[in-house]
Amino acid sequence: MRIAVDLAKAYRLLNHGPTVLVSASAEGRNNVMAAAWVMPVDFNPPKVAVVIDRKTFTRGLIERSGRFALNVPCRAQARMVTALGTHTGREIDKLSDFQVSLLDEPAATSPLVGGCVAWLDCVCLPEPHNEATHDLFLGMVTGAWADRRVFDGGRWHFDQVDEGFRTLHHVAGGHYLAIGDEVDTGQ
């Protein structure tokens, strides 16, 4: 059910402000963390920005590999997202402990989390000052995919699927809102 998304439209996978799972791999170790401060920043080539605290295990993997993926989880994954965001990969193997499955996507260079509704594979665009001062990482999207049941034709279709497919939007303290109903403007 996964489809490739045209890179010129990859920004649409994040434009509505969902919480994401940031995944990375280096030296044989995979890890995933939750992040709420993520946004698209350019169309062509597509670029993203993500804030990754210097204390996180995932950041070290990104710094060593120069790559990361943004995975867009859905309402059905809310407990897993909270668990991944409140535990560190320094102390546990989060993928094993929280039964996180990875997708088999040959074109991806970073691990992609199963059950999500969208995925963006990225290469870091080094900005040492922003990374050190603001924990802000920039990435160029090199591959993008979405679950056809909820994203097709270059747009989301949340009104046509079970509520479990709606994306999560972090408010604070493990509290989320799921994206709401579509508003028709007649256009």
Side-chain angles (χ1 to χ4, degrees), residues 22-37:
V22 180
S23 57
S25 180
E27 301 161 0
R29 182 76 192 274
N30 294 322
N31 199 57
V32 181
M33 63 173 271
W37 296 345

Side-chain angles (χ1 to χ4, degrees), residues 50-54 59 129-137:
V50 58
V51 174
I52 305 172
D53 190 277
R54 66 186 42 88
R59 179 168 169 162
H129 173 75
N130 286 336
E131 294 164 10
T133 306
H134 307 291
D135 296 328
L136 181 68
F137 283 74

Side-chain angles (χ1 to χ4, degrees), residues 57-118:
F57 182 69
T58 303
R59 179 168 169 162
L61 297 176
I62 293 169
E63 290 172 336
R64 288 194 298 282
S65 70
R67 302 208 56 100
F68 62 92
L70 301 178
N71 307 266
V72 181
C74 57
R75 183 178 185 156
Q77 296 173 299
R79 284 181 189 242
M80 179 187 71
V81 172
T82 299
L84 293 170
T86 56
H87 293 81
T88 177
R90 279 190 177 77
E91 298 172 3
I92 63 171
D93 180 343
K94 292 198 277 185
L95 279 73
S96 175
D97 287 7
F98 301 120
Q99 301 172 349
V100 177
S101 64
L102 297 179
L103 294 180
D104 180 21
E105 175 53 62
T109 59
S110 294
L112 302 180
V113 177
C116 290
V117 294

Side-chain angles (χ1 to χ4, degrees), residues 11 14-15 43 69 88 129 143 168:
Y11 74 94
L14 299 175
N15 211 37
F43 301 103
T88 177
H129 173 75
L168 296 172

Side-chain angles (χ1 to χ4, degrees), residues 19 34 36-37 78-79 81-83 85-86 169-177:
T19 295
W37 296 345
R79 284 181 189 242
V81 172
T82 299
T86 56
H169 301 262
H170 188 255
V171 179
H175 178 74
Y176 305 93
L177 299 175

